[in-house]
Amino acid sequence: MAGIGARRNLIFGLDIGTRSIVGTVGYKEEDRFIVVAQQIIEHETRAMIDGQIHDIKKVGETIASVTAGLEDQIGKSLKEVCIAAAGRVLRTITTHVDYVFSEDRVVVEEDVYALSAMGVDEAYSEFYPSNDSSLKFYCVGYSIIRYYMNHYPIGNPQDHKAGSIGADMIVTFLPEDVVDGLHKAVEYAGLKVANLTLEPIAAIQVAIPDKFRMLNIALVDVGAGTSDISITKEGAIVAYGMIPVAGDSLTEAVAQHCLVDFNTADVIKKQILGNETQQQDLIQYTDIMGLPQSVSAATLLSVLKPVIDEMTEKVAGCIKQLNGDKNVSAVFVVGGGGKIPGYTKALAEKLDIVKERVAVRGEDVMGFVDFPEHAVKDSTLVTPIGICLSFYVQNNNFIFVTFNEKRLKIYDNGKLSVVDAAIQFDFPNDGLFPKRGMELQFTVEGKSHLKRGEFGEAAIITVNKEPADIHTLIKANDVINVIPSTYGEPARQTIGNLSEYHQFIKIMVNGKPINLPKFAQVNDDLQSEYYEIQNGDVIVMLNYYTVSQVLEFMDIILPKEAVFQVNDVAAKRESLVYENFTVSYRIEEPVHLKNISGEHDICVTVNKSKVTMHGKALYVYVDIFDYINFDLSKPKGGGIVTNLNGQPAEFLKEINEGDVIDIYWKN
């Protein structure tokens, strides 16, 4: 053994159980795991109860004894150890999360990270209101059960084009004192934790290989204090659970019946494990009165039957709950407590499946493991071997980093990145990724429109003062600083940019072509193409003008005596004018003007040029447009300026010989 230990990078795993501590030393060679040493020592006192360390010093001393025994076997000192936390204290949240894109696009790695972060945030939101204890819990990891793309299951959405992605996730939590207790007990023995996993995860690595995980199988690890349960389906571990009833319940029943202390009862119990075919054997013991006694295995099994029924009833209920109120196809049982005669049969009955599909798994699932000669190869070693194997698939531990000037304790799964630290810090998820400005919602012609705001700037991230991003890997004592991302510009939209908007209505006015910009009715008010749409606006596109609106657009003011025609038919100021319509108007002369005889010419100055007007008895300002080249159909600048002899004049202002007229577009 010493030669092997000297040549190999050995892995030291400890299964710190309620009744005993199992130490395993070995190494992986291709697809096999070679065990070079094993040591099992039971606790002298009840230093652990239901998987929880109650006496750190006593547990530390037992760990030291196990370590010393292993060191003697391999001829080499051991400094680091892999351990596992019991399922009794494990809390899990199964959640679903969706990430909807503003439009279909290719899914990139950052989207998948964002989806996971959203899932962990959601799990935190669900977990903390239900945490009625005073314990502080840490998120120790998460696993994806299943991805979705456009709401349909998919193996991996990355690089696909999608409108949305989603995931079913399991997020796991452990209380701080449990992790600290394990670390302190290990440190008391002079060791350093190299890796920490969870007992259900360790057990399932050995008992249910990947090739079986397409099946709906339950794994029950029946220890001394707890029964840990895992469920596999469709290639993934989909649920974890635990009930605080296991082998110690059997031991306590034996102690009550035989009137012995707990340790003696445990010895008696072990004599009937696997003894179902020899139930008439007598077991000799001494009770607390010092009197020699004997009891048959059959008698003890009848005493234990109610306890076994209670245990299996609770386990079956937990399995069904974790499996969506459905039965699993088969159950694998590991751990010492599950070896009691009648356990698997009772569990099969409670689950209503054939008894052959509930079986203790031990040596049959460890065909890839090479043990030392004379080693015990049963179900009690499944979890210890799994703890060692966990080192190869995850190198994790609790480490400290500084996040935005706060010391942060975080579970290291061997691939920690900035985003993991941000999640543990409760840093807002939208503070990492660019935030969109406020969206704009409105309706056009009865149809809802949504325009999203622009993306802002991404978070500014540094690790140890060096530029980084959310994917940057981190390690112990790293200093992380994150300046939150910003909001982008709010969504903006003008009437003119709507696809429903057509730019002009073309008409003829007194024989001249006019292009009228189309108007929209917004919340019952008329608006032009330049109107900036507001949230909640109700927009109806108008494809007409009234005669009054045409005149207003052209800055033409006519007296009430004006006469109008639309398409050569008499019309009113309220008459509607559509695309390609013709509009004409004329001014009826007052009666007293009609009686004036003698039409005459006048000469005026228009924009510094002489103009002779003729054929009328009375001239008004608007008449000048018949003598000059001035296109009213194409407004410019800030409107038209109409001056008469240096003063503003209305269109119907009378003009006379020698008047000076200025007409131009305001800048």
Side-chain angles (χ1 to χ4, degrees), residues 458-502:
I460 300 174
I461 303 172
T462 61
V463 175
N464 302 325
K465 298 184 179 180
E466 294 294 327
D469 59 31
I470 62 171
H471 310 305
T472 300
L473 297 179
I474 59 174
K475 60 186 183 304
N477 300 316
D478 276 351
V479 177
I480 305 162
N481 280 291
V482 179
I483 299 175
S485 60
T486 62
Y487 283 98
E489 290 293 317
R492 287 189 170 87
Q493 177 85 48
T494 61
I495 295 289
N497 288 329
L498 292 174
S499 60
E500 294 88 348
Y501 181 82
H502 300 293

Side-chain angles (χ1 to χ4, degrees), residues 398-417:
F398 280 90
I399 63 171
F400 287 93
V401 297
T402 300
F403 190 100
N404 283 1
E405 300 183 352
K406 180 180 178 181
R407 192 73 165 158
L408 185 67
K409 187 177 184 180
I410 186 169
Y411 186 69
D412 182 11
N413 61 9
K415 50 183 180 181
L416 278 179
S417 62

Side-chain angles (χ1 to χ4, degrees), residues 1 4 8 10-11 24-37 368-372 385 388-389 392:
M1 290 295 181
I4 292 176
R8 301 288 182 180
L10 298 178
I11 304 303
T24 304
V25 177
Y27 60 93
K28 193 173 182 183
E29 192 171 74
E30 296 182 352
D31 294 332
R32 303 192 65 77
F33 185 76
I34 292 84
V35 177
V36 299
F368 66 95
V369 182
D370 294 338
F371 287 94
I385 296 297
C388 289
L389 292 175
Y392 295 98

Side-chain angles (χ1 to χ4, degrees), residues 435-575:
K435 295 188 279 281
R436 284 186 180 273
M438 185 177 295
E439 62 186 22
L440 181 63
Q441 292 182 315
F442 55 95
T443 61
V444 180
E445 302 291 345
K447 294 182 180 180
S448 296
H449 283 236
L450 172 65
K451 184 175 179 62
R452 297 190 182 275
E454 300 295 324
F455 278 112
E457 297 294 328
I460 300 174
I461 303 172
T462 61
V463 175
N464 302 325
K465 298 184 179 180
E466 294 294 327
D469 59 31
I470 62 171
H471 310 305
T472 300
L473 297 179
I474 59 174
K475 60 186 183 304
N477 300 316
D478 276 351
V479 177
I480 305 162
N481 280 291
V482 179
I483 299 175
S485 60
T486 62
Y487 283 98
E489 290 293 317
R492 287 189 170 87
Q493 177 85 48
T494 61
I495 295 289
N497 288 329
L498 292 174
S499 60
E500 294 88 348
Y501 181 82
H502 300 293
Q503 194 169 7
F504 292 106
I505 299 173
K506 296 179 180 180
I507 65 171
M508 297 290 289
V509 179
N510 281 2
K512 295 182 179 180
I514 303 293
N515 291 328
L516 302 173
K518 180 173 281 191
F519 278 89
Q521 184 172 286
V522 182
N523 308 327
D524 297 328
D525 293 327
L526 293 180
Q527 302 291 351
S528 73
E529 63 177 308
Y530 305 107
Y531 172 78
E532 190 166 290
I533 299 170
Q534 303 299 306
N535 211 38
D537 276 352
V538 178
I539 302 168
V540 178
M541 304 308 301
L542 301 181
N543 60 347
Y544 62 84
Y545 272 55
T546 64
V547 170
S548 291
Q549 289 168 346
V550 172
L551 297 175
E552 182 180 353
F553 171 77
M554 297 177 67
D555 283 338
I556 296 175
I557 301 174
L558 297 177
K560 62 182 180 180
E561 295 86 1
V563 176
F564 302 98
Q565 285 188 325
V566 174
N567 293 342
D568 298 325
V569 176
K572 299 179 179 180
R573 292 176 183 266
E574 297 79 23
S575 297

Side-chain angles (χ1 to χ4, degrees), residues 587-607:
I587 303 171
E588 293 283 354
E589 293 183 3
V591 174
H592 69 278
L593 292 179
K594 291 183 179 179
N595 294 329
I596 298 176
S597 58
E599 295 177 353
H600 65 286
D601 296 346
I602 64 172
C603 182
V604 296
T605 301
V606 181
N607 293 342

Side-chain angles (χ1 to χ4, degrees), residues 2-187:
I4 292 176
R7 296 194 305 270
R8 301 288 182 180
N9 182 20
L10 298 178
I11 304 303
F12 175 21
L14 273 180
D15 183 7
I16 306 172
T18 300
R19 290 299 303 137
S20 62
I21 295 179
V22 181
T24 304
V25 177
Y27 60 93
K28 193 173 182 183
E29 192 171 74
E30 296 182 352
D31 294 332
R32 303 192 65 77
F33 185 76
I34 292 84
V35 177
V36 299
Q38 282 185 310
Q39 185 77 22
I40 302 175
I41 298 180
E42 294 188 353
H43 299 290
E44 294 181 357
T45 63
R46 299 197 73 180
M48 291 188 66
I49 300 175
D50 294 346
Q52 173 73 48
I53 296 178
H54 282 249
D55 191 326
I56 291 176
K57 182 174 181 292
K58 287 290 186 184
V59 173
E61 289 173 349
T62 306
I63 292 174
S65 297
V66 170
T67 304
L70 292 168
E71 288 175 338
D72 287 342
Q73 293 179 51
I74 66 174
K76 182 179 180 180
S77 62
L78 298 168
K79 301 297 183 185
E80 296 187 341
V81 65
C82 303
I83 59 175
R88 184 190 72 84
V89 293
L90 176 66
R91 304 284 184 90
T92 64
I93 294 291
T94 301
T95 190
H96 176 86
V97 64
D98 286 306
Y99 185 10
V100 181
F101 305 135
S102 59
E103 57 186 14
D104 284 6
R105 61 178 176 81
V106 175
V107 180
V108 297
E109 184 180 24
E110 185 173 286
D111 297 326
V112 179
Y113 267 94
L115 179 68
S116 300
M118 290 169 62
V120 173
D121 279 347
E122 179 65 25
Y124 265 115
S125 299
E126 295 178 29
F127 172 71
Y128 276 103
S130 65
N131 179 23
D132 54 1
S133 70
S134 59
L135 300 176
K136 180 178 181 181
F137 279 78
Y138 284 100
C139 173
V140 296
Y142 59 86
S143 58
I144 303 294
I145 301 171
R146 187 175 296 103
Y147 283 113
Y148 296 87
M149 185 177 75
N150 297 335
H151 308 293
Y152 289 96
I154 191 170
N156 185 348
Q158 188 170 332
D159 298 326
H160 289 274
K161 189 174 183 179
S164 70
I165 56 176
D168 295 329
M169 297 173 60
I170 297 180
V171 184
T172 54
F173 300 88
L174 278 178
E176 181 181 26
D177 62 336
V178 170
V179 176
D180 286 347
L182 287 169
H183 275 247
K184 287 177 181 176
V186 167
E187 291 167 2

